[in-house]
Amino acid sequence: MEKGKLFTYSVDDLIEKPVEWEECGKCLSAFDKQLRNAWDKAVKDGLFRYSLDDLVYKKLNLQQNEDFPVPCVAQLNPQRAVNRRKRECFESMNDDFDEKQFNFTKIAIQEILMEVCLKSDDKVITKEKTEILLNISPIEYGHILIATNLSDCLPQKLTVKSLQIAFDILQLSSQPGFRLGFNSLHAWASINHLHFHGMYCDHEIFGDILPAEYHLSSSCALINIASPLPAFVFVVPDGDKGRRKIAEDVVKVTDYLHQISTPYNILLNRGKLLRKDGTQSDKWTTRALVFPRKSSKNLQPAEPFDVACIEVGGHFPVKAKASFEDLTDTKVSNCLKEAALEEEVFNDIVQYVKILLSG
């Protein structure tokens, strides 16, 4: 590993309470500084397919539920629609890794921004390698791809270990707008090689704050009425033992979704949750939100946006200026609802998840 690219951390470096929203860009963590320095160097070296200098944003509120605000943000990013890598086609959401398709073993060495390793007693645990890769067709500043054990060539199917590492990387940042996401195959994943997305977006969105409506088990709750897309919600605790248990429960759910060929998106974030009276908590909570959804197989990218791991939480990169200017709360809500499962299908999944996590 090139000098300067290795980033080591311990559990003491994890940050559950980021800076407040009005302090975005300040009090950067060591991880933020190294990532941003590497990103800025990549800009100077001309590694991106386009610039993000002229992005435009528009805030919306979906009014999904009169009891809670549903804030979201749209971003005009026409370059990504035409200047990203070609999407691979997958027959099944359970396809094996295929070395003939594009995968992260084929990227240029310059696209590896850094390698993250957990250390214990000042010794680096090098057997758990996590590569932080440049997304050369980015949505936002700092848009990275997080590949755990890249050389193992695992397919795009969530694992307990990869999710535990994702929890850590989320909390290595001090910024509230740093979020991670995961797309299964047939949920707009374009590469069948195990990875998460990560990026900064300095706007609070509904995925950060909507409260759980009721609990299915000790670890899992449900957001249904308040969100355009229903989700299973898991609170990520401090402490390795508790975090592993949550990761195991999340993977139980996603493994079941693979069994029944139901695609899903995942959003990992931190936020101050809304209370029942509509006021916001003072406490930051780290969560994993799992969104079962309709398959995107055979769908072509469409206006105004495709529903993937950031869109499910309220962050919408819009492809065309006309669509951006015409975007309304109703159009956003309808677009999200088109990706939602039929109510009966989702309710059947909920009943099974109750049983699955009750043991």
Side-chain angles (χ1 to χ4, degrees):
M1 175 61 58
E2 180 183 328
K3 185 178 180 181
K5 283 194 172 184
L6 181 64
F7 181 87
T8 62
Y9 72 96
S10 71
V11 294
D12 293 333
D13 297 314
L14 302 181
I15 302 167
E16 183 167 300
K17 181 182 178 181
V19 301
E20 300 297 328
W21 284 102
E22 58 270 21
E23 298 295 314
C24 280
K26 301 179 181 179
C27 300
L28 299 175
S29 69
F31 173 81
D32 291 318
K33 291 177 182 177
Q34 186 163 328
L35 173 58
R36 290 176 179 229
N37 287 339
W39 177 276
D40 294 342
K41 182 178 184 301
V43 172
K44 292 180 181 178
D45 292 343
L47 299 183
F48 294 97
R49 295 190 174 187
Y50 51 84
S51 169
L52 295 177
D53 290 343
D54 56 353
L55 294 179
V56 181
Y57 294 88
K58 176 164 63 174
K59 291 186 178 182
L60 299 162
N61 193 320
L62 302 189
Q63 298 296 325
Q64 177 74 13
N65 185 303
E66 63 182 16
D67 294 329
F68 300 114
V70 187
C72 47
V73 62
Q75 172 222 71
L76 178 58
N77 189 347
Q79 291 294 325
R80 179 170 164 82
V82 295
N83 288 313
R84 59 176 300 176
R85 287 187 177 111
K86 181 182 177 181
R87 295 178 185 271
E88 298 285 353
C89 296
F90 310 109
E91 182 61 31
S92 162
M93 67 173 289
N94 295 303
D95 278 4
D96 292 331
F97 177 87
D98 185 348
E99 63 180 11
K100 296 178 182 178
Q101 293 181 325
F102 178 82
N103 62 76
F104 298 126
T105 67
K106 300 181 180 183
I107 65 171
I109 189 66
Q110 297 94 328
E111 293 179 38
I112 303 177
L113 292 182
M114 54 200 284
E115 183 176 274
V116 176
C117 294
L118 178 66
K119 63 183 179 181
S120 178
D121 299 327
D122 295 324
K123 295 180 180 179
V124 176
I125 304 175
T126 55
K127 66 179 181 179
E128 301 293 351
K129 293 183 179 180
T130 299
E131 263 75 31
I132 306 297
L133 312 177
L134 192 69
N135 191 322
I136 61 173
S137 303
I139 294 173
E140 292 281 4
Y141 180 80
H143 187 173
I144 55 175
L145 303 171
I146 301 159
T148 57
N149 293 324
L150 184 153
S151 60
D152 289 349
C153 295
L154 298 175
Q156 184 67 348
K157 182 180 180 182
L158 195 67
T159 67
V160 172
K161 190 61 187 179
S162 68
L163 185 54
Q164 285 183 280
I165 292 170
F167 291 160
D168 284 1
I169 290 176
L170 175 70
Q171 291 188 341
L172 283 174
S173 173
S174 65
Q175 301 301 296
F178 184 71
R179 305 180 183 93
L180 271 59
F182 182 96
N183 300 318
S184 78
L185 300 188
H186 294 178
W188 293 110
S190 58
I191 300 171
N192 189 17
H193 194 172
L194 182 59
H195 69 285
F196 288 79
H197 289 262
M199 70 190 76
Y200 298 95
C201 177
D202 296 340
H203 298 273
E204 190 173 54
I205 56 177
F206 64 77
D208 301 331
I209 63 174
L210 287 183
E213 292 162 21
Y214 60 92
H215 286 269
L216 304 178
S217 71
S218 59
S219 64
C220 179
L222 192 67
I223 294 177
N224 193 355
I225 299 172
S227 174
L229 276 174
F232 297 104
V233 186
F234 299 81
V235 173
V236 181
D238 290 333
D240 183 65
K241 185 176 180 180
R243 292 160 81 94
R244 180 173 178 83
K245 174 63 167 60
I246 292 298
E248 289 172 345
D249 283 355
V250 172
V251 172
K252 285 180 182 178
V253 173
T254 57
D255 280 352
Y256 172 63
L257 295 177
H258 278 275
Q259 291 173 25
I260 62 174
S261 296
T262 298
Y264 57 92
N265 306 107
I266 297 176
L267 180 65
L268 306 181
N269 58 12
R270 290 166 293 182
K272 293 182 176 182
L273 304 183
L274 292 171
R275 302 185 181 98
K276 290 182 179 180
D277 63 2
T279 61
Q280 209 164 355
S281 171
D282 293 327
K283 179 184 177 183
W284 289 90
T285 301
T286 301
R287 301 194 297 179
L289 291 81
V290 182
F291 298 83
R293 42 86 50 79
K294 289 179 182 174
S295 174
S296 65
K297 184 180 180 182
N298 298 326
L299 294 182
Q300 295 299 316
E303 300 291 344
F305 55 82
D306 304 312
V307 179
C309 62
I310 63 168
E311 289 84 356
V312 292
H315 178 190
F316 313 120
V318 179
K319 302 180 180 72
K321 184 177 180 180
S323 296
F324 178 80
E325 292 175 344
D326 294 341
L327 197 64
T328 63
D329 302 344
T330 300
K331 288 181 179 179
V332 166
S333 185
N334 289 341
C335 190
L336 292 172
K337 288 177 180 178
E338 285 178 6
L341 295 170
E342 291 81 4
E343 185 176 358
E344 183 178 353
V345 173
F346 181 74
N347 288 340
D348 286 345
I349 293 173
V350 169
Q351 294 307 313
Y352 189 87
V353 168
K354 278 184 180 180
I355 298 170
L356 185 67
L357 300 181
S358 63

